[in-house]
Amino acid sequence: MNTQESLPSMDRKDFFRLVGVSVGAIILQQCLSGCSTGTKDPEPDPTPISDFSFNINSSNAAPLKNLGGYIYINGIIVARALDGSYLAVAQACTHEGTRLNYESSTNTFVCPNHGSVFSNRGVVQKGPATKDLVVYRTEFNASTGDFRVLV
């Protein structure tokens, strides 16, 4: 008995069509999974481990000597408002974790990627962010220059 005669055959055109469809299905599945909105990116963890202090006279904190200046430290953005008060909020936008900027003219925190805007109290004023920022209390001793962020 000849075994080649009993096996079904496939012509070359059918073979390449089957291979093409299979490869196309694999590529399509990968593309669609990359565009999926079913799973959310994990929210950034805005919470430092504990209270911390720094001296405003240090070179790293020099921007805080000026009204409208701000710095990033330990996952927090510390800003000096135009009225002289200090603000401290989580530096990561709650939308996708991008580092925020402080806009002194509007006294707001702004995400440079997608345009979310947060008030000086961390409240979402404009999306796409929907979750408010964590706000931290601060203490400043003007005579020593010691600045403390209370977590």
Side-chain angles (χ1 to χ4, degrees):
M1 174 171 164
N2 187 348
T3 57
Q4 283 186 339
E5 291 177 16
S6 64
L7 294 175
S9 66
M10 177 184 292
D11 68 10
R12 182 179 174 148
K13 186 177 176 182
D14 289 338
F15 172 77
F16 283 115
R17 186 177 332 133
L18 182 61
V19 168
V21 169
S22 299
V23 170
I26 291 169
I27 291 171
L28 179 62
Q29 187 272 333
Q30 292 298 314
C31 288
L32 291 176
S33 69
C35 297
S36 171
T37 58
T39 58
K40 253 182 119 175
D41 289 335
E43 292 192 17
D45 181 11
T47 309
I49 296 171
S50 62
D51 296 357
F52 62 92
S53 300
F54 60 90
N55 193 286
I56 201 165
N57 297 315
S58 71
S59 60
N60 294 340
L64 294 177
K65 290 183 178 183
N66 302 314
L67 297 177
Y70 63 96
I71 63 169
Y72 303 102
I73 184 167
N74 294 353
I76 294 175
I77 182 171
V78 178
R80 187 166 184 196
L82 295 179
D83 68 2
S85 64
Y86 292 95
L87 310 167
V89 300
Q91 77 178 23
C93 178
T94 57
H95 175 237
E96 288 189 351
T98 302
R99 190 162 81 169
L100 300 169
N101 296 324
Y102 175 67
E103 297 289 334
S104 61
S105 60
T106 57
N107 201 25
T108 58
F109 297 93
V110 179
C111 177
N113 274 3
H114 299 110
S116 292
V117 177
F118 302 86
S119 74
N120 63 346
R121 301 283 180 218
V123 177
V124 176
Q125 293 183 323
K126 178 184 170 199
T130 58
K131 184 177 177 185
D132 295 343
L133 297 171
V134 176
V135 179
Y136 301 95
R137 290 183 315 139
T138 63
E139 295 176 351
F140 177 60
N141 184 329
S143 62
T144 64
D146 291 331
F147 194 96
R148 185 171 179 205
V149 177
L150 304 164
V151 178

